[in-house]
Amino acid sequence: MSKNVRKLTDLDINPCLEETDDSRKCLDANNYKKDMCSSYFIRYKNCRKFWHNIMTQRRRDGVKPNMPNADERQQILQAIGGKPY
């Protein structure tokens, strides 16, 4: 498995793994008709935007690592009452 593929499938690196998988499954199920999966794409995009904002804020605050690991992300989501996307 290449380094990039490992990054995409590693839950500690990719905070939107579930949304990525859902988008791919939708594309597979709908014969790659993108208009049938727009809600999945929007959810993925919102997920990426949310975690990018978290990462940017942590960088500003000097918190390392910039992207929280999977356990920290779970705690963040629980603190705000679930996924905001």
Side-chain angles (χ1 to χ4, degrees):
M1 193 180 309
S2 75
K3 186 177 179 181
N4 288 336
V5 172
R6 269 197 318 268
K7 277 184 171 182
L8 290 175
T9 59
D10 186 356
L11 192 57
D12 273 336
I13 296 173
N14 184 359
C16 300
L17 187 59
E18 180 182 336
E19 290 77 10
T20 301
D21 290 343
D22 290 346
S23 295
R24 285 193 190 130
K25 288 176 187 174
C26 179
L27 285 171
D28 287 340
N30 291 296
N31 202 21
Y32 288 82
K33 294 180 183 174
K34 292 180 182 178
D35 56 330
M36 301 291 284
C37 301
S38 60
S39 63
Y40 290 98
F41 297 151
I42 291 169
R43 188 169 165 227
Y44 172 78
K45 186 176 179 179
N46 290 338
C47 176
R48 295 297 297 177
K49 191 181 298 185
F50 175 79
W51 289 111
H52 176 73
N53 290 338
I54 296 285
M55 191 171 65
T56 303
Q57 187 61 47
R58 286 171 61 104
R59 191 177 304 130
R60 280 189 208 127
D61 296 342
V63 178
K64 294 286 182 177
N66 295 331
M67 177 60 74
N69 64 29
D71 294 331
E72 287 180 283
R73 288 195 302 267
Q74 192 64 31
Q75 292 172 358
I76 291 169
L77 292 175
Q78 286 176 349
I80 61 173
K83 293 181 180 180
Y85 42 86

